[in-house]
Structures are given as C-alpha cells and as structure tokens.
Amino acid sequence: MKNKFDIGDIVTLKSHPLAYQEDGEIDAYVNQIPPFMCVKEIHIEKKKQIFSSEMPSAKIADNIKYLCVYFNQHRMIFEEGYVYQDTIVLLSDVTFHNEQKELKEGHKKLVEETLDYKNSSYEFGKRIFFKTYKLEKRKKFRSAGQDSNSTTKTILTHTSPAFILNGFKLNNQKSIYNAKNGELQRKCSEELFKVLWYNAFQEKFSEEYLPKEFFTDDKRIYKPLKKIDSISKRRGIDQKKD
C-alpha cells in the first residue's frame, strides 16, 4: 500500500463541509469545522491489525497514518495528531463556493493558488506564512436561520499569524526504510525552520521548529485574489506599451 500524501501536503478530515457538501457552502457550527492541516510525518505499518477480531469484515485501522499539524488560533500554538489515510482528503478535493459567479471563480483560483505556493527559502528575520493561512481566512459560512440563497459571512477559524524565521536545523528524526526491501516505513522532513510569533493567549513570544515544507513567502498569500489579478493585468498592459 502506497502513501497518497507527502510531507507538506495540505489535507483535512473528510468531515470538513467543503469536502462533502454538494455546493461546497459551509452550513455548520463554526467551532465544529476541522482545520486544514499540513502533513509532518508519514508512517507505514505493515504488521498492524487492520480488521476487527470480533467482526473480520470491519476495518478498524489503516497501514498508513500521518502526523498532521494545524494552528490553534485560540491557544495560539501549533497542534498535531495522527490520522489514518482513509480519514483525510487533499486540498485539491475541496470545493470553495459562493453564489456570485465572480467570487466562485475566485475561490477556485484560491485552491490553485495555494497548491502553487513554493516553499520559503531560509533567511534570518524574514516574514513567512503557514500555507493554510489564506484558506482559513477565506472560508464562508451561511448565515444562521437563512435559506440556501442567503448571504454568507466570513468567520476566522484556525487562522495563523505571520511568522518570523529565526532558526534552522537538520531534523534529528530521520526517514526509515526497510533494510530488506527498501520500502518506506517512516518519512520525515529533512530540514526544519524555527519560527517566532507573538502568542496573544499567553501574552508572550513563542517559537517552534517545524518542517520547511509548511511555510511560504509567496506574496499572493496575504493579498486579495482580485488585487493580484488586477496587478497582473496592469503589468501586461504596461509591457505592451513598452
């Protein structure tokens, strides 16, 4: 069995409204929306019990699990947890939606834009962003008590701040391969960035080492899609004039 996801991939639980609701519009209690997460580690366990001993047809586990990380905006820290491969979906399988055609196209572009982000290079003191930053900011929630044609509102959940690069190290946690057949057993990031941010919950600065694949310095992540599009069009016009 092969892993479907890689280090740094953005995933979420299959229970996320944007992963299963027909039109992609969020109609759920805001505090019950699972976060978008980045894959930190991949674990493949061949000898694990997959099916129940009490009911052989009942699957209770998976050979492949992932250690995933998200930002807890209430505690202002990164949280992590293991999830099985069959319980999560890639960002590319998520649908952003809005009733207005122009914004609907913008939401589609947001997924494409996010998947196009390059990993940040290391530079001490540089501002960078967790790759889920814009996704969490752009989610739309249906107004409570309204029908399907109601307006939507944006509510920030799992939104991370900007981070400052202030450290680098090689990962002591190494990838592991089977000595006999060379098959992957555990995959980890090779390089870690130490990031600094202000923790408003604890009223202090926080730091943590995390995979470099989690972060981007792409300017598009903190600019509106419309603004980016207008800038690109303007540049095209200026180039034609030249």
Side-chain angles (χ1 to χ4, degrees):
M1 193 172 184
K2 184 175 175 58
N3 55 293
K4 296 179 181 178
F5 315 119
D6 205 353
I7 303 297
D9 280 353
I10 298 175
V11 298
T12 189
L13 295 180
K14 287 181 177 179
S15 59
H16 197 296
L18 296 181
Y20 71 87
Q21 288 184 188
E22 185 176 348
D23 60 4
E25 187 179 63
I26 296 179
D27 185 18
Y29 185 57
V30 61
N31 288 341
Q32 296 175 352
I33 306 299
F36 287 108
M37 307 174 286
C38 285
V39 175
K40 182 180 181 181
E41 295 178 7
I42 303 166
H43 295 258
I44 301 177
E45 304 166 315
K46 291 291 181 68
K47 296 182 179 180
K48 188 169 187 175
Q49 182 179 352
I50 303 299
F51 294 91
S52 170
S53 57
E54 298 178 354
M55 188 169 71
S57 62
K59 188 175 181 179
I60 58 172
D62 200 342
N63 288 118
I64 303 176
K65 64 181 181 181
Y66 301 85
L67 182 60
C68 295
V69 176
Y70 67 94
F71 191 81
N72 184 325
Q73 75 169 36
H74 301 292
R75 299 177 62 200
M76 291 293 292
I77 59 173
F78 287 97
E79 305 270 16
E80 62 181 34
Y82 285 98
V83 288
Y84 288 120
Q85 180 160 278
D86 287 345
T87 65
I88 55 178
V89 293
L90 270 173
L91 173 62
S92 56
D93 295 322
V94 169
T95 303
F96 277 76
H97 174 80
N98 192 288
E99 291 296 330
Q100 299 177 29
K101 183 178 180 181
E102 184 178 359
L103 291 179
K104 187 174 181 179
E105 291 176 352
H107 282 298
K108 290 180 180 178
K109 289 180 182 177
L110 176 57
V111 173
E112 295 170 2
E113 175 190 296
T114 303
L115 294 173
D116 190 49
Y117 292 154
K118 299 296 187 293
N119 296 335
S120 175
S121 58
Y122 182 78
E123 179 185 331
F124 185 77
K126 181 166 66 173
R127 181 179 68 164
I128 59 174
F129 291 85
F130 191 47
K131 290 195 298 186
T132 68
Y133 171 79
K134 196 169 187 177
L135 293 169
E136 298 292 6
K137 286 188 66 177
R138 286 287 303 274
K139 295 197 305 292
K140 295 284 187 178
F141 291 81
R142 188 183 303 173
S143 298
Q146 302 293 327
D147 60 23
S148 60
N149 294 319
S150 66
T151 58
T152 57
K153 58 182 178 180
T154 299
I155 301 176
L156 303 184
T157 56
H158 314 299
T159 307
S160 53
F163 299 93
I164 301 298
L165 277 173
N166 74 328
F168 171 92
K169 71 175 182 179
L170 297 178
N171 195 355
N172 293 326
Q173 187 95 326
K174 303 298 182 183
S175 297
I176 299 175
Y177 296 86
N178 187 296
K180 294 182 179 179
N181 56 28
E183 291 183 354
L184 179 68
Q185 294 180 324
R186 182 182 73 194
K187 185 174 182 180
C188 305
S189 176
E190 296 180 356
E191 299 177 348
L192 304 178
F193 287 170
K194 184 166 74 168
V195 292
L196 168 74
W197 70 98
Y198 176 66
N199 187 320
F201 179 75
Q202 299 181 21
E203 296 186 341
K204 68 174 188 177
F205 294 113
S206 293
E207 295 179 325
E208 186 166 348
Y209 279 102
L210 291 163
K212 69 175 184 179
E213 292 87 351
F214 284 12
F215 300 100
T216 184
D217 56 358
D218 194 311
K219 293 181 179 179
R220 292 176 294 175
I221 200 168
Y222 58 85
K223 291 184 178 180
L225 288 170
K226 288 183 178 180
K227 188 173 182 180
I228 291 291
D229 290 341
S230 63
I231 290 174
S232 299
K233 290 177 182 178
R234 185 62 195 173
R235 284 177 179 170
I237 294 173
D238 292 340
Q239 288 175 356
K240 288 181 180 180
K241 288 181 179 179
D242 295 340

